[in-house]
Amino acid sequence: PGQASVPAVRLPDADAYAERMRELLARAVSDRLRSLHPVGAHVSGGLDSSAIAAVAAKQLAAQGRPLAGYSWL
């Protein structure tokens, strides 16, 4: 089958791209925090898992909920 069409993204400057990235990350994390149960995050020490955990912790704190963090020793 055919490939999905992806529209080009054209923003005015680097700050606008950074802000859009923050918005998309926050929305992606929020979409995955929809749970009545406690939420945990595996933090590997890399920038990606750390960024996701930081955004999740902030969003959960606004709801009065904790984020449990896990990592390998």
Side-chain angles (χ1 to χ4, degrees):
Q3 294 183 357
S5 176
V6 178
V9 175
R10 300 285 186 251
L11 298 176
D13 54 36
D15 289 340
Y17 282 100
E19 180 58 29
R20 184 65 177 140
M21 178 63 192
R22 281 189 288 273
E23 292 168 358
L24 291 172
L25 178 61
R27 185 168 64 184
V29 170
S30 177
D31 287 349
R32 284 149 184 87
L33 293 179
R34 297 179 188 159
S35 175
L36 298 176
H37 303 286
V39 177
H42 177 258
V43 182
S44 66
L47 293 176
D48 53 349
S49 64
S50 298
I52 291 167
V55 171
K58 183 176 180 179
Q59 290 181 7
L60 288 168
Q63 301 171 18
R65 300 170 59 198
L67 175 69
Y70 303 92
S71 66
W72 293 94
L73 294 176

